[in-house]
Amino acid sequence: MRRELTFILLCFAASSVFGKDSSPSFKLNTTSSQFLLDGDPFTYIAGEIHYFRIPHLKWDDRLKRVRALGFNAITVPVPWNFHQLFQDDDPLWSGDHDLVKFIKTANTNGLYTILRVGPYISAEWDNGGLPWWLIRSGKISKFRSSDAAYMTEVTQWFKHLLPKIAPLLRKNAGPVLMIQIEHLYGLLGICDQVYMLDLANLVREHLGNDVVLFTLDAPVVQFMRCGTLPNVLPTIEITPTNVDGTVANWFNLQKAFMQGAPAVASQFIINPYKMWGNNVTDRYVNSVIIQTAKTAFALNASISFHMTHGGTTFGFWNGAVEPYPVTTSYDSFAPISESGDVNELYIDIRGWILSIPGWSYPPTPVPANLPRTAYPTVELTVFDTISGFILGVNPECWATKETPRTAEYIRDGYGYVYYNTSIIECGQLYIPTFSDNAYVFLNQNFVGALYKQFNSIHNNTIDVQGCLDQFNSLEIIVEITGRPHNYYPDMSRGIQGNVYMHNITLENWESCVVPIDTYEVSMVEENYEKLQKHIEENFDLEKSKSAVTTNPSVFIGNLHISGAPADTFLDTRGWGKGVVTINQYNIGRYWASVGPQQTLFVPSEFLHKGTNLIMFYEFEGATTACTTTSCTAKFTNVPIFDY
Ligand SMILES: *[C@@H]1O[C@H](CO)[C@@H](O)[C@H](O)[C@H]1NC(C)=O
Ligand SMILES: *[C@@H]1O[C@H](CO)[C@@H](O)[C@H](O)[C@H]1NC(C)=O
Ligand SMILES: *[C@@H]1O[C@H](CO)[C@@H](O)[C@H](O)[C@H]1NC(C)=O
Ligand SMILES: *[C@@H]1O[C@H](CO)[C@@H](O)[C@H](O)[C@H]1NC(C)=O
Ligand SMILES: *[C@@H]1O[C@H](CO)[C@@H](O)[C@H](O)[C@H]1NC(C)=O
Ligand SMILES: *[C@@H]1O[C@H](CO)[C@@H](O)[C@H](O)[C@H]1NC(C)=O
């Protein structure tokens, strides 16, 4: 103990002798346009990676692969909505939510962390990371602005988040170097500089005035003007280009917004992500990606490859660029694939870094790809119709006289909302405003689907025929397909306003929470127990021999695994549209009929030795996956996409 103390004192003495303080710190030197890490000039080559898209037991594996590229840092956004499911809840910080553990695991692997605290992060994530319950409050007039009600909520959230980050800062000998506030704020166009300053001040209050803060904008003058702040490092987003001088021009523009700023591309978009119903046509060529990185690096720029490992958007967490929801796979053609494989782009990036003379963080050996298995085909049979299933597990409902309630009002943040009422007469049903897809049933029989917006389709009326003499049950299940991530919340989900039949307002609605959870990656345990009990009491898989249904239905089957489970892909070809759960995990949405994604990644952590329960919640009708007696769930060891 005493010896250590003496050593520290000597260090202090030494640093004062040489005029350099080498104690842990992260700073800007605006004279030399450099970052200083512990007093020494520092450049980073970082990889963006999302802990919330990787099961936590795989964090170490993925981070090793990032480090093996020769990167020395990671860029990590924090999705507020993933941590704080309900307004009155304390945020979740364990298991898949253990941000601190993720940062420490990265550090153990030799990676510093650059943190994006938003609170708006985009990230192709529901609502860009903002919780649905902000919409519910109804008090916020403008999101991502200095609106007092919005800032009150942000202040509360930062009180939870930032004290966890403070001990991890470099000045406290931790791995967190700098903090990004907001994200592409200039693009939003509202230019609320008071808001940006409020955010900066909030972060400084918790992390100190000496913490390096930065903003990120596209290198366009009007965006940089709106999105940057004095004394906050402006950084830019860049894309692969082979046009001479472009990269230098971008950095010149960036540096024009702060005297002595180091060149920083904190978002180097290397490839597009995928959306349902919208094939990717604008991938970049690997050689152009590498050339752009080389050019930036030669200009002394620090860069962050976006994405370095995309992972999977399990549950209902995907965002959307209307009208297209983001796919469940967030592979994004990244150098580390969705299932963790390294690919050609990985080899090319690593090869470039190996060739950098004097780079202090040379690539480490590449871990072998993890084993994957194509499990034998599983047979599934009908358990119940979707609405029968929903009512069977006693959902929480709100009864109202006229207008049905929105998803947010009934505290159903994600997935689906169930509505019912009874009608006396059939006719033209008109739902003026709903979001996003509505499935309509008469007396438990499927009538048809309405789409708020899909491709060029917008339909909101449907002919409902076949009413019985007296009471008829009208049911509507509305899917929340993912809130847009590319601006800010504009409206709530579910049915918004009256529903009409023959121009007559339908009354006496029940609006119910659909118990297919997105909470954590897994479901809330007590819900899962309730579900298992419901299945046990109402279903005998051995005796069920039917797959005949004209209704959206729940299909059940068992996957038997004899040894230790391995990663796999579930092949959804031949199914329609819906969501799959395996055991207590929601492995995400599928939409095989429109693509481009055809397989769902199933990490080994979601499986166990013995019997694994697979459930398909199929809304639009399976096609070739079913015969009259059963449907099949196939597995593959490679992902399948049609582009
Ligand atoms: C900042 O850079 C200038 C110019 O290279 C150099 O003279 C100065 O010592 C640097 N400051 C620190 C704290 O390293
Ligand atoms: C990059 O850094 C080196 C070493 O500090 C310096 O000599 C060179 O001028 C810098 N280049 C640019 C484009 O800033
Ligand atoms: C609404 O549009 C969707 C998408 O094309 C279609 O599948 C559906 O049948 C339409 N619904 C009605 C009632 O026409
Ligand atoms: C509507 O749902 C509620 C709640 O589960 C149920 O009690 C009621 O019977 C349903 N009504 C109709 C008309 O389907
Ligand atoms: C509903 O009302 C509108 C406007 O009054 C009228 O044009 C339309 O024909 C009515 N539709 C039905 C089904 O009665
Ligand atoms: C996407 O590509 C596949 C395979 O070429 C094709 O079948 C499908 O129609 C395309 N989808 C769209 C929306 O263009």
Side-chain angles (χ1 to χ4, degrees), residues 162-178:
L162 297 176
K164 296 201 171 287
I165 303 308
L168 298 171
L169 291 173
R170 188 62 206 152
K171 66 177 171 184
N172 298 321
V176 175
L177 303 183
M178 55 182 200

Side-chain angles (χ1 to χ4, degrees), residues 374-389:
Y375 285 107
T377 297
V378 168
E379 298 216 325
L380 298 98
T381 51
V382 176
F383 169 50
D384 204 342
T385 60
I386 299 262
S387 59
F389 165 82

Side-chain angles (χ1 to χ4, degrees), residues 189-240:
I190 64 177
C191 293
D192 186 343
Q193 294 262 308
V194 175
Y195 165 56
M196 291 299 280
L197 190 59
D198 283 352
L199 282 185
N201 287 339
L202 261 181
V203 177
R204 285 177 176 136
E205 238 170 69
H206 289 279
L207 302 184
N209 287 328
D210 53 354
V211 67
V212 176
L213 298 183
F214 69 103
T215 54
L216 167 101
D217 282 286
V220 174
V221 175
Q222 98 204 60
F223 298 157
M224 299 286 294
R225 268 199 202 122
C226 282
T228 57
L229 274 181
N231 301 316
V232 171
L233 174 67
T235 77
I236 53 169
E237 169 181 278
I238 66 170
T239 48

Side-chain angles (χ1 to χ4, degrees), residues 29 31-32 36 39:
N29 183 342
T31 312
S32 63
L36 295 175

Side-chain angles (χ1 to χ4, degrees), residues 501-520:
M501 181 78 86
H502 279 322
N503 286 1
I504 294 164
T505 307
L506 294 180
E507 301 192 331
N508 300 317
W509 289 93
E510 295 267 359
S511 309
C512 311
V513 177
V514 171
I516 311 172
D517 289 334
T518 195
Y519 306 152
E520 314 190 60

